[in-house]
Amino acid sequence: MSSRTTATMRAVSPRAWGAPDVLVPVEVDRPEPGITEILVKVHAAGVNPVDWKTRAAGEFGTWGDTPILGYDVSGTVEAVGPGVTLFAPGDEVFGMPRFPEQAGGYAEYVVAPARRFARKPANIDHVEAAALPLAALTAWQGLIETAGLRAGQRVLIHAAAGGVGHLAVQIAKAQGAYVIGTARADKHDFLRSLGADELIDYTTTDFAEAVRDVDVVLDGVGGAYGDRSLPVLRRGGHLVTLPDPGGLPDAARAREAGVHAGWTIVEPDRHGMLEIARLVEEGRLRAEVAETFPLERAAEAHALGELSRTQGKLVLTVA
């Protein structure tokens, strides 16, 4: 009788939910693509706040017996399952598969539906591509699809130098909007290089006193920022809160101000990924990579990310 040896792969998994040092290297079975799925050899994986918040508490997402974090991936198609027509082995792709189910980006291989991916733009490498999907989709869906941002409108982006924020600045500018951002003073030159029109140092200036007549607020901070943002919005304006619904202002206050206020959470979206790829190829969108870490040092990346002082994104190099 012949026996078949299951292929394995390297990954990083939390041995329990808790501090960054719970993340340890493991060896697990390599997945195989099913119907309409592709197997992607991961070259780089983005690190996002949802990763370290989940690792700390284990309260978000759907996890398997061996939890593997990571939703941002960029790599090469290794194999395709039955019914896949978009990609072939050897194609370079990037995407945000399966969110909020386990995608398993902190690993050598990922399996997911083919339509959760787009072709990686040829003008960027895998590290830059891995920094884009979750954060760029969050910005795209919040600004363009939820708030309906249009050319000539004014948008205020909180935490503008962060992972979502610096991409939101560029997406808003590509849409033809006037962009105001809140960030520490040492991040202002960086944000101006991305096209920001006006910047506010939140450590010295109250944005609620400095800004008026805004059409859209993208709140990547949460907490009291939602309430404090109401006075800066025009009637009919949109307040889009990203971190959690607890940062939304009281519904009665929002109605009285004539503001549409809501919380949005990012969704896997091939259409959005194609738009992001288009902007990258046109030179109108780029991810700032603050630092890279080898896969096995994911705990260090989490510890740095939790300080909330990085400019742009953190990325794990895998292959």
Side-chain angles (χ1 to χ4, degrees):
M1 179 182 295
S2 63
S3 61
R4 181 176 180 271
T5 303
T6 301
T8 61
M9 67 177 183
R10 292 180 300 124
V12 166
S13 174
R15 60 178 182 268
W17 302 117
D21 63 5
V22 302
L23 294 173
V24 295
V26 295
E27 188 170 292
V28 296
D29 290 346
R30 193 180 84 175
E32 295 294 332
I35 295 173
T36 73
E37 293 182 331
I38 58 175
L39 174 68
V40 176
K41 182 177 178 62
V42 179
H43 289 258
V47 179
N48 292 288
V50 67
D51 297 347
W52 59 74
K53 291 176 182 178
T54 300
R55 185 221 69 233
E59 295 177 348
F60 184 85
T62 304
W63 304 100
D65 294 336
T66 303
I68 301 175
L69 301 170
Y71 294 105
D72 281 339
V73 295
S74 182
T76 305
V77 177
E78 184 84 359
V80 301
V84 173
T85 58
L86 291 176
F87 305 113
D91 288 343
E92 294 186 319
V93 297
F94 73 135
M96 186 196 75
R98 298 198 187 280
F99 185 88
E101 301 173 15
Q102 176 167 310
Y106 294 10
E108 287 186 288
Y109 293 91
V110 163
V111 154
R115 292 180 184 273
R116 300 287 173 89
F117 295 90
R119 292 185 186 274
K120 181 186 74 66
N123 57 336
I124 59 173
D125 61 23
H126 285 291
V127 168
E128 294 172 277
L132 283 165
L134 190 147
L137 280 176
T138 299
W140 177 269
Q141 291 171 9
L143 290 173
I144 309 304
E145 296 181 348
T146 301
L149 183 68
R150 304 187 304 276
Q153 290 190 321
R154 289 162 54 85
V155 57
L156 171 62
I157 298 171
H158 291 307
V164 172
H166 85 289
L167 298 172
V169 167
Q170 297 171 76
I171 289 170
K173 286 303 297 182
Q175 195 72 2
Y178 181 91
V179 178
I180 307 164
T182 63
R184 291 176 177 270
D186 61 354
K187 307 288 176 54
H188 287 192
D189 285 346
F190 164 64
L191 290 168
R192 288 190 187 95
S193 75
L194 301 181
D197 298 289
E198 188 177 331
L199 294 162
I200 298 166
D201 181 356
Y202 65 86
T203 67
T204 61
T205 304
D206 182 357
F207 72 85
E209 299 294 331
V211 181
R212 283 292 182 274
D213 297 326
V214 166
D215 298 283
V216 176
V217 172
L218 189 69
D219 175 17
V221 179
Y225 267 60
D227 256 339
R228 293 176 56 207
S229 294
L230 281 182
V232 313
L233 282 154
R234 292 174 174 159
R235 295 191 70 82
H238 290 261
L239 168 63
V240 180
T241 296
L242 302 176
D244 63 77
L248 287 172
D250 178 77
R253 287 197 64 228
R255 283 196 301 271
E256 184 180 344
V259 168
H260 305 282
W263 174 63
T264 186
I265 187 167
V266 67
E267 302 174 60
D269 175 17
R270 176 168 167 78
H271 168 73
M273 286 299 304
L274 293 174
E275 289 296 321
I276 289 161
R278 175 182 62 82
L279 290 175
V280 171
E281 289 166 346
E282 292 174 353
R284 296 198 286 172
L285 180 65
R286 66 177 178 85
E288 174 78 1
V289 177
E291 195 165 343
T292 63
F293 296 82
L295 175 64
E296 290 78 6
R297 291 171 54 196
E300 295 177 46
H302 276 223
L304 178 59
E306 287 179 318
L307 297 176
S308 298
R309 291 290 182 266
T310 55
Q311 179 174 288
K313 290 290 298 291
L314 302 171
V315 176
L316 303 179
T317 53
V318 182

